[in-house]
Amino acid sequence: MSGGRVLRLGVLGSGRGSNLEAIARAIDEGRLPAKLVAVISDQPEARILELGRQHGARTEVVAPSTPRGRLDAKTEEQFVGILRQENVDLVVLAGFMRIVGPVFLAAYPRRIINVHPSLLPKHRGSNAAAQALAAGDRVTGCTVHYVDEGVDTGEIIAQREVPVQDGDTAESLQARIQKAEHELLPSVIASFATHE
Ligand code: GRF
């Protein structure tokens, strides 16, 4: 770890939280000078919340009024309020199935990043591995990008390629893409820590 300050991380997710585990592992192993301070989900049963608790983060459920899609301004304020209370420096979306809007973006300019399982701008939205197979791609991968008001449209920070193998299913391909995500995302977060 360098002598620089420790980046305070807020992670938002709706599901399994394997990227959160990868972040926590990188912190534990001294590869990432960061502290996991808040984990917030829109899904009360999401495993990511349990993982957040295990790793000592504050965990919160903020349940928007709509079941999916774009966050309303009031809900965005709730998310931002929690992140501000914990003095979060960088917000990481890891499997967060919501679209953030202007309130959130204004609170954390160029401080919200997302991981997506394709080589953007190809295959935005859900089921990206299946989209890559349907398109006949021989190479796909994952992307970490800044978040803007679109769906997987923000400026690209880093990408990693994953070859498609003969006989791949959407599930087998997604599993290998996720392995690549688990290396790429902590390394991108580490670059934010270094450049603070
Ligand atoms: C990842 O594949 C990510 O690219 C996508 O959602 C998935 C989240 O997985 N946005 P997990 O919850 O981190 O396991």
Side-chain angles (χ1 to χ4, degrees):
M1 236 191 250
S2 74
R5 74 189 193 84
V6 169
L7 200 64
R8 295 176 67 81
L9 296 180
V11 179
L12 273 53
S14 306
R16 209 160 67 90
S18 68
N19 279 286
L20 180 77
E21 281 182 303
I23 293 166
R25 201 177 316 122
I27 293 172
D28 289 348
E29 291 174 2
R31 286 182 281 125
L32 177 54
K35 185 171 163 56
L36 194 57
V37 293
V39 175
I40 316 177
S41 183
D42 58 328
Q43 302 294 328
E45 305 300 328
R47 177 172 170 264
I48 198 170
L49 290 167
E50 178 55 33
L51 292 170
R53 275 190 285 278
Q54 285 171 17
H55 290 285
R58 170 178 175 183
T59 57
E60 295 282 351
V61 178
V62 176
S65 48
T66 53
R68 285 183 86 82
R70 195 169 288 278
L71 294 176
D72 58 280
K74 202 164 156 244
T75 310
E76 285 194 276
E77 275 161 18
Q78 286 179 266
F79 275 91
V80 170
I82 295 164
L83 295 166
R84 286 217 167 115
Q85 280 170 12
E86 300 306 324
N87 292 317
V88 162
D89 300 307
L90 181 70
V91 182
V92 180
L93 309 191
F96 187 56
M97 303 302 282
R98 298 281 179 169
I99 304 160
V100 304
V103 173
F104 215 141
L105 294 168
Y108 287 94
R110 284 177 83 81
R111 279 287 182 273
I112 311 174
I113 64 173
N114 180 48
V115 58
H116 180 78
S118 78
L119 295 176
L120 291 172
K122 290 179 101 171
H123 314 317
R124 294 181 176 131
S126 53
N127 304 318
Q131 291 186 51
L133 287 179
D137 293 353
R138 297 312 302 164
V139 177
T140 183
C142 55
T143 302
V144 178
H145 64 94
Y146 289 106
V147 171
D148 65 11
E149 285 195 54
V151 177
D152 307 320
T153 49
E155 182 186 328
I156 292 169
I157 303 170
Q159 296 185 305
R160 183 147 310 177
E161 291 187 350
V162 175
V164 177
Q165 295 176 357
D166 291 340
D168 254 337
T169 61
E171 291 71 29
S172 65
L173 183 55
Q174 171 69 14
R176 285 205 317 290
I177 294 171
Q178 281 220 305
K179 279 195 180 165
E181 291 182 344
H182 298 162
E183 292 173 12
L184 183 67
L185 182 58
S187 74
V188 170
I189 297 170
S191 72
F192 276 85
T194 314
H195 294 120
E196 273 293 307

Short mmCIF file of all heavy atoms in Angstrom, two decimals, residues 40-65:
data_model
loop_
_atom_site.label_atom_id
_atom_site.label_comp_id
_atom_site.label_asym_id
_atom_site.label_seq_id
_atom_site.Cartn_x
_atom_site.Cartn_y
_atom_site.Cartn_z
N ILE A 40 -25.33 -0.64 -0.42
CA ILE A 40 -26.76 -0.30 -0.50
C ILE A 40 -27.39 -1.11 -1.62
O ILE A 40 -26.82 -1.24 -2.70
CB ILE A 40 -26.99 1.21 -0.76
CG1 ILE A 40 -26.07 2.07 0.11
CG2 ILE A 40 -28.45 1.57 -0.51
CD1 ILE A 40 -26.20 3.57 -0.17
N SER A 41 -28.58 -1.65 -1.34
CA SER A 41 -29.29 -2.42 -2.35
C SER A 41 -30.73 -1.97 -2.44
O SER A 41 -31.31 -1.47 -1.48
CB SER A 41 -29.25 -3.91 -1.99
OG SER A 41 -29.88 -4.66 -3.00
N ASP A 42 -31.30 -2.15 -3.62
CA ASP A 42 -32.74 -1.92 -3.81
C ASP A 42 -33.52 -3.21 -3.53
O ASP A 42 -34.74 -3.21 -3.57
CB ASP A 42 -33.02 -1.41 -5.24
CG ASP A 42 -32.53 -2.39 -6.30
OD1 ASP A 42 -31.51 -3.09 -6.06
OD2 ASP A 42 -33.16 -2.48 -7.36
N GLN A 43 -32.80 -4.30 -3.28
CA GLN A 43 -33.43 -5.62 -3.08
C GLN A 43 -33.14 -6.12 -1.67
O GLN A 43 -31.99 -6.47 -1.37
CB GLN A 43 -32.88 -6.64 -4.10
CG GLN A 43 -33.06 -6.25 -5.55
CD GLN A 43 -34.52 -6.22 -5.96
OE1 GLN A 43 -35.34 -6.99 -5.46
NE2 GLN A 43 -34.85 -5.32 -6.88
N PRO A 44 -34.16 -6.20 -0.81
CA PRO A 44 -33.91 -6.58 0.59
C PRO A 44 -33.26 -7.94 0.76
O PRO A 44 -32.54 -8.17 1.73
CB PRO A 44 -35.32 -6.59 1.22
CG PRO A 44 -36.24 -5.99 0.23
CD PRO A 44 -35.57 -5.89 -1.09
N GLU A 45 -33.48 -8.85 -0.19
CA GLU A 45 -32.93 -10.21 -0.04
C GLU A 45 -31.59 -10.39 -0.74
O GLU A 45 -31.05 -11.50 -0.77
CB GLU A 45 -33.91 -11.25 -0.63
CG GLU A 45 -35.33 -11.19 -0.07
CD GLU A 45 -35.35 -11.43 1.43
OE1 GLU A 45 -34.50 -12.19 1.91
OE2 GLU A 45 -36.20 -10.84 2.11
N ALA A 46 -31.04 -9.35 -1.31
CA ALA A 46 -29.81 -9.51 -2.10
C ALA A 46 -28.65 -10.00 -1.24
O ALA A 46 -28.41 -9.49 -0.13
CB ALA A 46 -29.45 -8.19 -2.77
N ARG A 47 -27.91 -10.98 -1.77
CA ARG A 47 -26.77 -11.55 -1.04
C ARG A 47 -25.69 -10.49 -0.80
O ARG A 47 -24.92 -10.59 0.16
CB ARG A 47 -26.21 -12.73 -1.86
CG ARG A 47 -24.96 -13.38 -1.27
CD ARG A 47 -24.62 -14.65 -2.03
NE ARG A 47 -23.32 -15.20 -1.67
CZ ARG A 47 -22.19 -14.96 -2.35
NH1 ARG A 47 -22.20 -14.18 -3.41
NH2 ARG A 47 -21.05 -15.49 -1.96
N ILE A 48 -25.63 -9.50 -1.66
CA ILE A 48 -24.60 -8.47 -1.50
C ILE A 48 -24.69 -7.79 -0.14
O ILE A 48 -23.68 -7.36 0.42
CB ILE A 48 -24.70 -7.44 -2.67
CG1 ILE A 48 -23.41 -6.64 -2.78
CG2 ILE A 48 -25.91 -6.55 -2.56
CD1 ILE A 48 -23.30 -5.79 -4.05
N LEU A 49 -25.89 -7.72 0.44
CA LEU A 49 -26.05 -7.08 1.75
C LEU A 49 -25.37 -7.91 2.84
O LEU A 49 -24.69 -7.38 3.71
CB LEU A 49 -27.53 -6.90 2.07
CG LEU A 49 -28.26 -5.86 1.22
CD1 LEU A 49 -29.77 -6.00 1.41
CD2 LEU A 49 -27.81 -4.45 1.59
N GLU A 50 -25.58 -9.22 2.77
CA GLU A 50 -24.95 -10.13 3.73
C GLU A 50 -23.42 -10.03 3.64
O GLU A 50 -22.71 -9.96 4.65
CB GLU A 50 -25.43 -11.56 3.44
CG GLU A 50 -24.83 -12.64 4.32
CD GLU A 50 -25.05 -12.36 5.81
OE1 GLU A 50 -26.10 -11.77 6.15
OE2 GLU A 50 -24.15 -12.70 6.60
N LEU A 51 -22.93 -9.99 2.40
CA LEU A 51 -21.48 -9.87 2.20
C LEU A 51 -20.97 -8.54 2.76
O LEU A 51 -19.90 -8.49 3.38
CB LEU A 51 -21.14 -9.96 0.71
CG LEU A 51 -21.37 -11.33 0.06
CD1 LEU A 51 -21.23 -11.23 -1.45
CD2 LEU A 51 -20.40 -12.35 0.63
N GLY A 52 -21.73 -7.47 2.54
CA GLY A 52 -21.34 -6.17 3.07
C GLY A 52 -21.22 -6.20 4.59
O GLY A 52 -20.25 -5.69 5.16
N ARG A 53 -22.21 -6.84 5.24
CA ARG A 53 -22.17 -6.97 6.70
C ARG A 53 -20.92 -7.73 7.13
O ARG A 53 -20.20 -7.32 8.04
CB ARG A 53 -23.41 -7.71 7.21
CG ARG A 53 -24.60 -6.80 7.43
CD ARG A 53 -25.72 -7.51 8.15
NE ARG A 53 -26.44 -8.44 7.30
CZ ARG A 53 -27.41 -8.10 6.45
NH1 ARG A 53 -27.78 -6.84 6.36
NH2 ARG A 53 -28.02 -8.99 5.71
N GLN A 54 -20.65 -8.85 6.43
CA GLN A 54 -19.47 -9.67 6.78
C GLN A 54 -18.18 -8.86 6.70
O GLN A 54 -17.23 -9.13 7.41
CB GLN A 54 -19.36 -10.87 5.85
CG GLN A 54 -20.36 -11.97 6.15
CD GLN A 54 -20.33 -13.04 5.06
OE1 GLN A 54 -19.41 -13.14 4.28
NE2 GLN A 54 -21.40 -13.84 5.02
N HIS A 55 -18.16 -7.90 5.79
CA HIS A 55 -16.93 -7.13 5.58
C HIS A 55 -16.94 -5.80 6.34
O HIS A 55 -16.13 -4.92 6.08
CB HIS A 55 -16.66 -6.94 4.09
CG HIS A 55 -16.26 -8.22 3.42
ND1 HIS A 55 -15.01 -8.78 3.57
CD2 HIS A 55 -16.95 -9.08 2.65
CE1 HIS A 55 -14.95 -9.92 2.91
NE2 HIS A 55 -16.12 -10.12 2.33
N GLY A 56 -17.89 -5.66 7.25
CA GLY A 56 -17.86 -4.51 8.16
C GLY A 56 -18.42 -3.22 7.61
O GLY A 56 -18.21 -2.16 8.20
N ALA A 57 -19.13 -3.29 6.49
CA ALA A 57 -19.70 -2.07 5.91
C ALA A 57 -21.08 -1.79 6.52
O ALA A 57 -21.75 -2.70 7.00
CB ALA A 57 -19.85 -2.23 4.40
N ARG A 58 -21.47 -0.54 6.50
CA ARG A 58 -22.86 -0.20 6.80
C ARG A 58 -23.71 -0.74 5.64
O ARG A 58 -23.35 -0.52 4.48
CB ARG A 58 -23.00 1.31 6.90
CG ARG A 58 -24.45 1.78 6.98
CD ARG A 58 -24.49 3.28 7.13
NE ARG A 58 -25.85 3.78 7.08
CZ ARG A 58 -26.17 5.07 7.13
NH1 ARG A 58 -25.21 5.97 7.24
NH2 ARG A 58 -27.43 5.45 7.07
N THR A 59 -24.78 -1.41 5.94
CA THR A 59 -25.63 -1.91 4.86
C THR A 59 -27.02 -1.29 4.98
O THR A 59 -27.55 -1.15 6.09
CB THR A 59 -25.75 -3.44 4.86
OG1 THR A 59 -26.24 -3.87 6.12
CG2 THR A 59 -24.40 -4.10 4.60
N GLU A 60 -27.59 -0.94 3.84
CA GLU A 60 -28.92 -0.32 3.83
C GLU A 60 -29.70 -0.85 2.64
O GLU A 60 -29.14 -1.11 1.57
CB GLU A 60 -28.81 1.21 3.68
CG GLU A 60 -28.14 1.91 4.83
CD GLU A 60 -29.04 2.09 6.05
OE1 GLU A 60 -30.27 1.82 5.95
OE2 GLU A 60 -28.51 2.49 7.11
N VAL A 61 -31.02 -0.95 2.84
CA VAL A 61 -31.92 -1.22 1.72
C VAL A 61 -32.68 0.06 1.44
O VAL A 61 -33.27 0.64 2.35
CB VAL A 61 -32.93 -2.35 2.06
CG1 VAL A 61 -33.88 -2.57 0.90
CG2 VAL A 61 -32.21 -3.62 2.42
N VAL A 62 -32.64 0.52 0.22
CA VAL A 62 -33.46 1.65 -0.20
C VAL A 62 -34.36 1.11 -1.30
O VAL A 62 -33.88 0.79 -2.39
CB VAL A 62 -32.61 2.83 -0.70
CG1 VAL A 62 -33.51 3.95 -1.20
CG2 VAL A 62 -31.71 3.34 0.42
N ALA A 63 -35.61 0.95 -0.99
CA ALA A 63 -36.53 0.33 -1.95
C ALA A 63 -37.31 1.40 -2.70
O ALA A 63 -38.16 2.07 -2.13
CB ALA A 63 -37.48 -0.60 -1.20
N PRO A 64 -37.01 1.59 -3.97
CA PRO A 64 -37.71 2.60 -4.76
C PRO A 64 -39.18 2.22 -4.95
O PRO A 64 -39.56 1.06 -4.79
CB PRO A 64 -36.97 2.59 -6.10
CG PRO A 64 -35.69 1.88 -5.84
CD PRO A 64 -35.97 0.92 -4.75
N SER A 65 -39.98 3.21 -5.32
CA SER A 65 -41.41 2.96 -5.49
C SER A 65 -41.71 2.09 -6.72
O SER A 65 -42.69 1.37 -6.75
CB SER A 65 -42.16 4.28 -5.57
OG SER A 65 -41.52 5.12 -6.50
#
